[in-house]
Amino acid sequence: MKLTKNFSKSEFECKCGCKMPNNILKNVKELAYHLQRLRDKFDAPIKINSAYRCESHNKTIGGSKNSQHKLGLAADIVVKDKTP
């Protein structure tokens, strides 16, 4: 499912392979919108390393108990040819 011109839902899915809850998808769509704006501003591809994480996966990787990833409100990204 395309969320924006350059981002698809699959890029935001939990790495454990679980199904993203419908209530999280709304947040992910908003996050994708903002990342698309950033991509357009930089005119460079953005790689999403991690976005939505279910509770179990977040625990497995040592994520914060209050991680915004669990709500679909955060993404770890790399912008091509840019440093943080």
Side-chain angles (χ1 to χ4, degrees), residues 65-80:
K65 184 173 96 173
N66 298 317
S67 174
Q68 296 297 292
H69 288 272
K70 297 189 307 181
L71 302 173
L73 295 172
D76 300 331
I77 64 170
V78 175
V79 181
K80 185 176 180 179

Side-chain angles (χ1 to χ4, degrees), residues 4-27:
T4 69
K5 180 173 80 172
N6 298 105
F7 294 105
S8 64
K9 181 180 174 232
S10 63
E11 296 175 271
F12 293 84
E13 297 279 0
C14 185
K15 300 294 186 206
C16 80
C18 68
K19 181 173 170 30
M20 181 187 296
N22 288 332
N23 63 318
I24 299 295
L25 183 56
K26 177 182 177 280
N27 294 340

Side-chain angles (χ1 to χ4, degrees), residues 5-54:
K5 180 173 80 172
N6 298 105
F7 294 105
S8 64
K9 181 180 174 232
S10 63
E11 296 175 271
F12 293 84
E13 297 279 0
C14 185
K15 300 294 186 206
C16 80
C18 68
K19 181 173 170 30
M20 181 187 296
N22 288 332
N23 63 318
I24 299 295
L25 183 56
K26 177 182 177 280
N27 294 340
V28 167
K29 286 179 178 179
E30 184 174 345
L31 178 59
Y33 167 79
H34 291 293
L35 288 175
Q36 183 65 53
R37 291 181 62 207
L38 185 64
R39 188 191 190 289
D40 293 344
K41 179 179 173 74
F42 283 124
D43 192 28
I46 294 178
K47 179 181 187 305
I48 299 172
N49 292 324
S50 178
Y52 168 67
R53 296 179 195 151
C54 68

